[in-house]
Amino acid sequence: MSPTSERPNAKDDSQAGEAYDALVARLEQVVGELESGSLPLEASIEKFAEGVRLAREASRKLDEAERRVEVLVRNADGGEEAVPLEAAGKGNG
């Protein structure tokens, strides 16, 4: 594996991190609006639905990140190297 392939998705990781941070920031804003108690019922329901969607998306991104971190394999030299999840799956079956 070449040095550049040891960290194949560094740019994607950064973008995913930024996207996750934006999701969490928006979720915190939605929760604050709901907790204020100043929204009419219909708007509260819409905010709640948005919050659920944001929480699910953030959870999905965390799950993806966790899977990527967990995909560590031993290389031919006995050391460990990170490999993309897709590449690790090809060797297992």
Side-chain angles (χ1 to χ4, degrees):
M1 184 171 275
S2 72
T4 56
S5 63
E6 291 179 8
R7 187 85 165 91
N9 298 316
K11 185 175 180 180
D12 291 343
D13 290 349
S14 176
Q15 291 172 344
E18 291 172 10
Y20 175 78
D21 291 345
L23 283 172
V24 171
R26 178 64 186 145
L27 180 57
E28 289 174 347
Q29 182 181 7
V30 167
V31 169
E33 291 171 7
L34 287 170
E35 288 180 341
S36 74
S38 62
L39 295 173
L41 178 60
E42 193 61 34
S44 293
I45 293 170
E46 289 177 16
K47 289 289 180 185
F48 182 80
E50 181 183 4
V52 168
R53 182 187 58 78
L54 291 166
R56 287 180 180 160
E57 181 65 16
S59 178
R60 187 186 64 77
K61 288 189 176 292
L62 277 179
D63 288 344
E64 286 176 6
E66 185 176 312
R67 282 192 301 270
R68 292 178 75 186
V69 168
E70 288 177 349
V71 178
L72 293 174
V73 295
R74 295 227 179 255
N75 63 22
D77 298 329
E80 292 181 346
E81 62 185 87
V83 297
L85 181 62
E86 299 81 22
K90 290 179 183 174
N92 293 332

